[in-house]
PDB file of all heavy atoms in Angstrom:
ATOM      1  N   VAL O 154      -9.330   6.360   9.491  1.00  0.00           N
ATOM      2  CA  VAL O 154      -8.803   6.234   8.212  1.00  0.00           C
ATOM      3  C   VAL O 154      -7.505   7.065   8.058  1.00  0.00           C
ATOM      4  O   VAL O 154      -7.535   8.244   7.755  1.00  0.00           O
ATOM      5  CB  VAL O 154      -9.876   6.829   7.116  1.00  0.00           C
ATOM      6  CG1 VAL O 154      -9.410   6.292   5.727  1.00  0.00           C
ATOM      7  CG2 VAL O 154     -11.203   6.358   7.445  1.00  0.00           C
ATOM      8  N   ASP O 155      -6.444   6.390   8.493  1.00  0.00           N
ATOM      9  CA  ASP O 155      -5.189   7.197   8.626  1.00  0.00           C
ATOM     10  C   ASP O 155      -4.483   7.546   7.448  1.00  0.00           C
ATOM     11  O   ASP O 155      -3.336   8.148   7.466  1.00  0.00           O
ATOM     12  CB  ASP O 155      -4.249   6.346   9.648  1.00  0.00           C
ATOM     13  CG  ASP O 155      -3.768   4.982   8.988  1.00  0.00           C
ATOM     14  OD1 ASP O 155      -4.561   4.467   8.206  1.00  0.00           O
ATOM     15  OD2 ASP O 155      -2.715   4.526   9.428  1.00  0.00           O
ATOM     16  N   ASP O 156      -5.026   7.351   6.168  1.00  0.00           N
ATOM     17  CA  ASP O 156      -4.301   7.664   5.012  1.00  0.00           C
ATOM     18  C   ASP O 156      -5.321   8.713   4.318  1.00  0.00           C
ATOM     19  O   ASP O 156      -5.122   9.167   3.185  1.00  0.00           O
ATOM     20  CB  ASP O 156      -4.091   6.577   3.905  1.00  0.00           C
ATOM     21  CG  ASP O 156      -5.513   5.838   3.550  1.00  0.00           C
ATOM     22  OD1 ASP O 156      -6.357   5.986   4.237  1.00  0.00           O
ATOM     23  OD2 ASP O 156      -5.401   5.082   2.406  1.00  0.00           O
ATOM     24  N   CYS O 157      -6.275   9.300   5.024  1.00  0.00           N
ATOM     25  CA  CYS O 157      -7.276  10.253   4.537  1.00  0.00           C
ATOM     26  C   CYS O 157      -7.158  11.485   5.402  1.00  0.00           C
ATOM     27  O   CYS O 157      -7.293  11.472   6.603  1.00  0.00           O
ATOM     28  CB  CYS O 157      -8.655   9.673   4.451  1.00  0.00           C
ATOM     29  SG  CYS O 157     -10.026  10.780   3.869  1.00  0.00           S
ATOM     30  N   TYR O 158      -7.194  12.674   4.835  1.00  0.00           N
ATOM     31  CA  TYR O 158      -7.159  13.968   5.523  1.00  0.00           C
ATOM     32  C   TYR O 158      -8.160  14.877   5.107  1.00  0.00           C
ATOM     33  O   TYR O 158      -8.241  15.027   3.743  1.00  0.00           O
ATOM     34  CB  TYR O 158      -5.681  14.519   5.374  1.00  0.00           C
ATOM     35  CG  TYR O 158      -5.501  15.846   6.070  1.00  0.00           C
ATOM     36  CD1 TYR O 158      -5.013  15.934   7.391  1.00  0.00           C
ATOM     37  CD2 TYR O 158      -5.681  17.043   5.380  1.00  0.00           C
ATOM     38  CE1 TYR O 158      -4.770  17.105   7.943  1.00  0.00           C
ATOM     39  CE2 TYR O 158      -5.451  18.235   5.976  1.00  0.00           C
ATOM     40  CZ  TYR O 158      -5.041  18.329   7.337  1.00  0.00           C
ATOM     41  OH  TYR O 158      -4.795  19.419   7.953  1.00  0.00           O
ATOM     42  N   ILE O 159      -8.946  15.477   5.895  1.00  0.00           N
ATOM     43  CA  ILE O 159      -9.963  16.481   5.526  1.00  0.00           C
ATOM     44  C   ILE O 159      -9.836  17.705   6.507  1.00  0.00           C
ATOM     45  O   ILE O 159      -9.671  17.576   7.744  1.00  0.00           O
ATOM     46  CB  ILE O 159     -11.372  15.806   5.732  1.00  0.00           C
ATOM     47  CG1 ILE O 159     -11.616  14.746   4.651  1.00  0.00           C
ATOM     48  CG2 ILE O 159     -12.444  16.937   5.648  1.00  0.00           C
ATOM     49  CD1 ILE O 159     -12.984  14.033   4.781  1.00  0.00           C
ATOM     50  N   LEU O 160      -9.817  18.824   5.851  1.00  0.00           N
ATOM     51  CA  LEU O 160      -9.725  20.119   6.699  1.00  0.00           C
ATOM     52  C   LEU O 160     -10.993  20.424   7.410  1.00  0.00           C
ATOM     53  O   LEU O 160     -12.082  20.287   6.867  1.00  0.00           O
ATOM     54  CB  LEU O 160      -9.402  21.281   5.669  1.00  0.00           C
ATOM     55  CG  LEU O 160      -8.892  22.528   6.399  1.00  0.00           C
ATOM     56  CD1 LEU O 160      -7.489  22.410   7.053  1.00  0.00           C
ATOM     57  CD2 LEU O 160      -9.013  23.681   5.491  1.00  0.00           C
ATOM     58  N   HIS O 161     -10.841  20.728   8.665  1.00  0.00           N
ATOM     59  CA  HIS O 161     -11.984  21.143   9.585  1.00  0.00           C
ATOM     60  C   HIS O 161     -11.683  22.525  10.097  1.00  0.00           C
ATOM     61  O   HIS O 161     -10.826  22.719  10.913  1.00  0.00           O
ATOM     62  CB  HIS O 161     -12.012  20.075  10.776  1.00  0.00           C
ATOM     63  CG  HIS O 161     -13.314  20.179  11.544  1.00  0.00           C
ATOM     64  ND1 HIS O 161     -13.368  19.692  12.829  1.00  0.00           N
ATOM     65  CD2 HIS O 161     -14.422  20.867  11.338  1.00  0.00           C
ATOM     66  CE1 HIS O 161     -14.611  19.937  13.293  1.00  0.00           C
ATOM     67  NE2 HIS O 161     -15.257  20.609  12.432  1.00  0.00           N
ATOM     68  N   GLU O 162     -12.594  23.428   9.613  1.00  0.00           N
ATOM     69  CA  GLU O 162     -12.350  24.736  10.133  1.00  0.00           C
ATOM     70  C   GLU O 162     -12.572  24.960  11.598  1.00  0.00           C
ATOM     71  O   GLU O 162     -11.771  25.795  12.240  1.00  0.00           O
ATOM     72  CB  GLU O 162     -13.435  25.664   9.375  1.00  0.00           C
ATOM     73  CG  GLU O 162     -13.140  25.825   7.874  1.00  0.00           C
ATOM     74  CD  GLU O 162     -11.920  26.660   7.561  1.00  0.00           C
ATOM     75  OE1 GLU O 162     -11.286  27.336   8.494  1.00  0.00           O
ATOM     76  OE2 GLU O 162     -11.546  26.675   6.360  1.00  0.00           O
ATOM     77  N   LYS O 163     -13.498  24.299  12.258  1.00  0.00           N
ATOM     78  CA  LYS O 163     -13.573  24.129  13.699  1.00  0.00           C
ATOM     79  C   LYS O 163     -14.201  25.571  14.205  1.00  0.00           C
ATOM     80  O   LYS O 163     -13.985  26.495  13.735  1.00  0.00           O
ATOM     81  CB  LYS O 163     -12.380  24.015  14.443  1.00  0.00           C
ATOM     82  CG  LYS O 163     -12.505  23.421  15.821  1.00  0.00           C
ATOM     83  CD  LYS O 163     -12.996  22.018  15.833  1.00  0.00           C
ATOM     84  CE  LYS O 163     -13.090  21.439  17.174  1.00  0.00           C
ATOM     85  NZ  LYS O 163     -13.584  20.131  17.437  1.00  0.00           N
ATOM     86  N   ALA O 164     -15.058  25.339  15.092  1.00  0.00           N
ATOM     87  CA  ALA O 164     -15.641  26.598  15.875  1.00  0.00           C
ATOM     88  C   ALA O 164     -16.471  27.429  14.983  1.00  0.00           C
ATOM     89  O   ALA O 164     -16.584  28.636  15.333  1.00  0.00           O
ATOM     90  CB  ALA O 164     -14.598  27.228  16.745  1.00  0.00           C
TER      91      ALA O 164
END
Side-chain angles (χ1 to χ4, degrees):
V154 193
D155 61 334
D156 63 339
C157 182
Y158 180 88
I159 291 177
L160 191 75
H161 187 197
E162 292 286 354
K163 201 72 175 173

